[in-house]
Amino acid sequence: MVAATMMMSMLGSRAAVLLNRSAIAMTQIHRRHLSSLTTEASGIQRVCVVGAGTLGAQVAVQTALRGFEVSVLDVSQESLDRCQQAHRAIAKQYVTRDASQASQARGWRGLSSPGVPAAKVASDALDRLSYTTSFEEALRACDLVSENVPEVPDIKAATYASLHEHAPKGTIFTTNSSTLLPSQFAKDTGRPHQFCALHFANGIWDANIGEVMPHPGTSEETVRTVLRFAKEIGMVPFHVRKEQNGYLINTLLVPWLNAALTLAQRGVSVPADVDRAWLISTGGCNAPSGSVLGPFQTMDIIGLTTVAHVMDYWGDQLGDAQMIANGKFVRDRYLEKGKLGITNGNPREDAAEGFYSYPNPPFLRDNFLD
Amino acid sequence: MVAATMMMSMLGSRAAVLLNRSAIAMTQIHRRHLSSLTTEASGIQRVCVVGAGTLGAQVAVQTALRGFEVSVLDVSQESLDRCQQAHRAIAKQYVTRDASQASQARGWRGLSSPGVPAAKVASDALDRLSYTTSFEEALRACDLVSENVPEVPDIKAATYASLHEHAPKGTIFTTNSSTLLPSQFAKDTGRPHQFCALHFANGIWDANIGEVMPHPGTSEETVRTVLRFAKEIGMVPFHVRKEQNGYLINTLLVPWLNAALTLAQRGVSVPADVDRAWLISTGGCNAPSGSVLGPFQTMDIIGLTTVAHVMDYWGDQLGDAQMIANGKFVRDRYLEKGKLGITNGNPREDAAEGFYSYPNPPFLRDNFLD
């Protein structure tokens, strides 16, 4: 499922600043800099993106922008042609948005500089992309595959069988499936220990999360390599430690969207009122602080005693065993250790404990989201 | 339950600008201005707040700041004393925050002006507050009661019986209960048609929503009067059209918080990662646009075809009949009428239909949250 900011964050439009020093050296320096942020480089150089639809096209161009050689593989030449057109449009968007730091995508930051003009970064990325209907050609010397084919189990299974037949032994396979689990296809890959999910959100350069989720048979080395690779292509890597539906974001988004729909479906309220009430009470556009909070920040402010009580109460009302387990989790792991959140304090000054440690919790640091 | 911004929005601290023209006349003008925003004035003048705890104290001082006479009623003199101390601290906070438009609470905007210095507004508000343990005294000539006593059914029932005994016939009763439903106490009030919920979020001047929820026996006139009154005391009034647990905000918040806790409780992720993933993909602190979105805005951007599909899929996976009903709701009411959301467009330019109508949906207007 797509991330919410995709559209809103593409509204800016400014002319590109074009400068004229050698881009290649700077790109190399940039790659080294990114790698140094992880403990080690992934070692990935050549990537194959299978499935040239919306998400596949985004993964391919993002990976090429970050300096990797990318072959796009699809059974349909028409899809490949549309994908190539999309890549040109995205490259143009990159140049346009680069002119302003404010409108530049998080996943595109730092790619160009006075020494590496945006137009050069974009044209180099397009040069690193190739398009083919041949598995053999696409997978030659390929280090990592990102699978983006339709969410149909039979299509996925057949695709993995063909990929396994043509890919080098050491190639890592990743799936970008939103709804199907890696374990469903582990056997079809012929290399279950070299297979896990690397899941992106639509508009991957803005909502630049890379959710890395193993199935029970994935090797730790594979998880580490894919986490490093995700970082190298400009994603913030997240290790989803246990296989489950929804990764992180959809696990949070779906119940929230569902609750909103229920209010409208039952005639309790209307869409604009639901949105306004949410925005007003959770730090929306007009909030004095301009802050937006994640759920655990929110709970530390609510106070963990109240949170535990709410989970107990609603768990009981709804007969929801997981909610009741969550209430117990908050009591056992936090309240009983004196971690109460910051109900009566200020996150910058209080020496409180909750899900975060105060003062100066990590979310007040500039690099929290990097 | 509290709203998330309370703490974050109290961080600012600036000296008050004190000026010296007559405050009384301006307060009257201000009251008239507020009233003209609704079709009619509520007619409420004297308010009794029952229960001097955290929320009761907030409701009392907010109501007094907005020009109403307020008596605070509690069975404990000690609670009343603490409440009075809290009121002095809040009045001081009002003066401090008034000095900066940026840090001023949404529910406090426009109370003072060059003609009405903040210190005068604050001291007038304190003068309008009285504190008593006597039902008779508190309810004399009272137009509206806000009940804020503990969430214990027996305490609520006994309180309503006493309130009914001492209040004038025409007095409207409102409950600020977060977890109990008005219909549970309608009979105890002795005036079910003059009784409904008026629910506030903690930090009511920042998260200034007033959720007005009738029970099946509440008169329409009562709902209208309470909606008007909510607006007059600086809240954005929301009509919750059917009685249900959670009003609007807790209906959205609880499943979202619960989903986050489930990720931690099951060891799928850790709190800071969950928050970072949410903030990155939904327009958090570092989003280029700085925008935050409500759930229906989010769904229009995701595209309603995808939303319907997701509800079908998860409803099926989880055996959740309400989710399946929500998928059907989106198809019947939106997709089948060609309302698809703005998947491929820009909310400022596209002539699309979804939950909102584009271009220029109401959420792009400055007054959307007022």
Side-chain angles (χ1 to χ4, degrees):
Chain A
M1 193 157 61
V2 303
T5 41
M6 178 183 61
M7 200 61 57
M8 301 306 282
S9 56
M10 288 182 180
L11 302 183
S13 159
R14 289 169 185 83
V17 175
L18 302 178
L19 294 159
N20 59 1
R21 277 180 48 205
S22 158
I24 295 162
M26 289 301 288
T27 301
Q28 284 166 345
I29 289 167
H30 182 70
R31 283 286 300 282
R32 276 200 297 275
H33 170 68
L34 278 174
S35 299
S36 76
L37 291 175
T38 58
T39 45
E40 259 180 78
S42 69
I44 306 295
Q45 294 185 320
R46 293 185 57 85
V47 173
C48 171
V49 174
V50 192
T54 305
L55 256 292
Q58 292 184 12
V59 173
V61 74
Q62 175 68 22
T63 304
L65 274 163
R66 284 291 173 187
F68 295 82
E69 297 292 324
V70 181
S71 62
V72 184
L73 171 65
D74 201 289
V75 290
S76 150
Q77 185 60 47
E78 205 185 319
S79 292
L80 291 172
D81 293 345
R82 268 201 308 271
C83 179
Q84 194 165 5
Q85 282 181 330
H87 285 170
R88 288 197 204 100
I90 294 164
K92 213 165 155 183
Q93 194 192 124
Y94 168 73
V95 174
T96 305
R97 290 180 60 175
D98 180 67
S100 151
Q101 284 231 314
S103 85
Q104 185 54 294
R106 292 176 40 88
W108 287 346
R109 285 188 195 153
L111 263 178
S112 54
S113 69
V116 192
K120 173 76 175 144
V121 170
S123 71
D124 285 353
L126 294 178
D127 288 347
R128 286 187 210 104
L129 284 156
S130 60
Y131 307 85
T132 178
T133 58
S134 157
F135 276 78
E136 201 185 335
E137 193 183 323
L139 294 163
R140 198 172 293 141
C142 167
D143 300 307
L144 184 140
V145 168
S146 169
E147 174 271 302
N148 295 263
V149 306
E151 301 280 85
V152 179
D154 288 349
I155 296 180
K156 297 258 194 216
T159 303
Y160 281 115
S162 295
L163 287 169
H164 179 54
E165 195 185 327
H166 295 92
K169 255 188 166 174
T171 308
I172 288 173
F173 290 178
T174 66
T175 178
N176 189 14
S177 176
S178 288
T179 54
L180 303 169
L181 296 172
S183 57
Q184 292 178 251
F185 308 103
K187 212 174 162 189
D188 301 305
T189 65
R191 59 192 76 198
H193 54 292
Q194 283 162 233
F195 175 54
C196 66
L198 170 53
H199 182 246
F200 300 89
N202 200 354
I204 76 172
W205 34 84
D206 287 310
N208 67 329
I209 57 170
E211 297 173 308
V212 178
M213 184 175 78
H215 65 90
T218 308
S219 75
E220 284 184 27
E221 179 56 27
T222 298
V223 172
R224 268 196 301 275
T225 301
V226 177
L227 284 166
R228 286 172 188 150
F229 170 71
K231 183 149 198 152
E232 287 166 359
I233 61 170
M235 300 297 107
V236 179
F238 290 93
H239 184 185
V240 181
R241 287 153 212 260
K242 288 183 184 165
E243 190 182 64
Q244 58 142 37
N245 253 307
Y247 304 92
L248 304 185
I249 282 308
N250 287 348
T251 295
L252 296 174
L253 260 183
V254 171
W256 182 63
L257 300 180
N258 183 56
L261 282 171
T262 301
L263 288 169
Q265 191 269 340
R266 290 188 183 164
V268 174
S269 188
V270 294
D273 271 5
V274 173
D275 283 351
R276 293 164 71 225
W278 177 265
L279 294 172
I280 291 169
S281 36
T282 59
C285 339
N286 287 0
S289 65
S291 291
V292 188
L293 300 171
F296 287 98
Q297 296 170 279
T298 303
M299 286 187 272
D300 269 359
I301 290 171
I302 287 171
L304 301 192
T305 309
T306 302
V307 169
H309 176 76
V310 166
M311 291 299 144
D312 293 346
Y313 173 79
W314 283 69
D316 196 50
Q317 291 275 314
L318 303 172
D320 185 326
Q322 180 64 50
M323 273 190 158
I324 290 165
N326 289 345
K328 184 169 157 37
F329 170 74
V330 173
R331 276 194 306 279
D332 292 352
R333 296 277 290 272
Y334 297 91
L335 296 182
E336 288 191 4
K337 294 175 182 168
K339 299 183 174 186
L340 308 176
I342 46 167
T343 26
N344 292 306
N346 171 333
R348 290 182 199 281
E349 290 169 9
D350 261 32
E353 294 283 332
F355 288 112
Y356 294 92
S357 289
Y358 305 85
N360 299 320
F363 62 74
L364 290 177
R365 290 176 211 141
D366 279 346
N367 65 351
F368 182 58
L369 300 186
D370 294 335
Chain B
M1 194 156 62
V2 303
T5 40
M6 179 184 59
M7 200 62 55
M8 302 304 282
S9 56
M10 286 184 182
L11 304 182
S13 160
R14 290 171 184 82
V17 174
L18 302 177
L19 294 158
N20 58 1
R21 276 182 47 205
S22 157
I24 296 161
M26 288 301 287
T27 301
Q28 285 167 345
I29 288 166
H30 182 68
R31 283 287 300 285
R32 275 202 295 276
H33 171 66
L34 278 173
S35 298
S36 76
L37 292 173
T38 57
T39 45
E40 260 180 77
S42 70
I44 306 294
Q45 294 186 322
R46 292 186 58 87
V47 173
C48 171
V49 174
V50 193
T54 306
L55 256 293
Q58 292 184 11
V59 173
V61 74
Q62 175 69 22
T63 304
L65 274 163
R66 284 291 172 188
F68 295 82
E69 297 293 325
V70 181
S71 62
V72 184
L73 171 64
D74 201 290
V75 289
S76 150
Q77 185 59 47
E78 204 185 321
S79 293
L80 290 173
D81 293 345
R82 268 201 308 272
C83 179
Q84 195 165 4
Q85 282 181 330
H87 285 171
R88 287 196 205 101
I90 294 165
K92 213 164 157 183
Q93 193 192 123
Y94 168 73
V95 174
T96 306
R97 290 179 61 175
D98 181 68
S100 152
Q101 283 233 313
S103 84
Q104 186 55 294
R106 293 176 40 88
W108 286 347
R109 285 187 195 154
L111 264 177
S112 55
S113 69
V116 192
K120 172 77 174 142
V121 170
S123 71
D124 285 354
L126 294 177
D127 288 348
R128 285 186 210 103
L129 284 156
S130 59
Y131 307 84
T132 180
T133 56
S134 156
F135 277 78
E136 200 185 337
E137 194 183 323
L139 294 164
R140 198 171 294 141
C142 168
D143 301 307
L144 184 140
V145 168
S146 169
E147 174 270 303
N148 294 264
V149 306
E151 300 281 83
V152 179
D154 287 349
I155 297 180
K156 299 257 195 214
T159 303
Y160 280 116
S162 295
L163 288 169
H164 179 54
E165 194 186 328
H166 293 93
K169 255 189 166 174
T171 308
I172 289 173
F173 290 178
T174 66
T175 178
N176 189 14
S177 175
S178 287
T179 55
L180 303 169
L181 297 173
S183 57
Q184 292 179 251
F185 308 103
K187 211 174 162 189
D188 301 305
T189 66
R191 59 191 78 200
H193 54 291
Q194 282 162 233
F195 175 54
C196 66
L198 171 53
H199 183 247
F200 299 89
N202 199 354
I204 77 172
W205 34 85
D206 287 312
N208 67 328
I209 58 170
E211 296 172 309
V212 178
M213 184 174 79
H215 66 91
T218 309
S219 75
E220 283 183 28
E221 179 55 28
T222 298
V223 172
R224 269 196 301 274
T225 301
V226 177
L227 285 166
R228 286 173 188 148
F229 171 71
K231 182 148 200 155
E232 287 167 0
I233 61 170
M235 300 296 108
V236 180
F238 289 94
H239 184 186
V240 181
R241 286 153 212 260
K242 287 182 185 167
E243 191 183 63
Q244 59 142 37
N245 253 306
Y247 304 91
L248 304 185
I249 282 308
N250 287 349
T251 296
L252 295 174
L253 260 183
V254 172
W256 182 64
L257 300 180
N258 183 56
L261 283 171
T262 301
L263 288 168
Q265 191 270 341
R266 290 189 183 164
V268 173
S269 188
V270 294
D273 271 6
V274 173
D275 283 350
R276 293 164 72 226
W278 177 264
L279 294 172
I280 290 169
S281 36
T282 59
C285 338
N286 287 1
S289 64
S291 291
V292 188
L293 299 171
F296 287 98
Q297 296 170 280
T298 304
M299 288 188 270
D300 269 358
I301 289 170
I302 287 170
L304 301 193
T305 309
T306 303
V307 169
H309 176 76
V310 166
M311 291 298 143
D312 293 346
Y313 173 78
W314 283 68
D316 196 50
Q317 290 275 313
L318 304 172
D320 184 327
Q322 181 64 51
M323 273 192 158
I324 290 166
N326 289 346
K328 184 168 156 40
F329 170 75
V330 173
R331 276 194 306 279
D332 291 353
R333 297 276 290 272
Y334 296 91
L335 297 181
E336 288 192 3
K337 294 176 182 168
K339 299 182 173 186
L340 308 175
I342 46 166
T343 25
N344 293 304
N346 170 330
R348 290 183 199 280
E349 291 169 9
D350 260 32
E353 294 284 333
F355 288 112
Y356 294 92
S357 289
Y358 305 86
N360 300 319
F363 61 76
L364 291 177
R365 291 176 210 142
D366 280 345
N367 65 352
F368 182 57
L369 300 187
D370 295 335

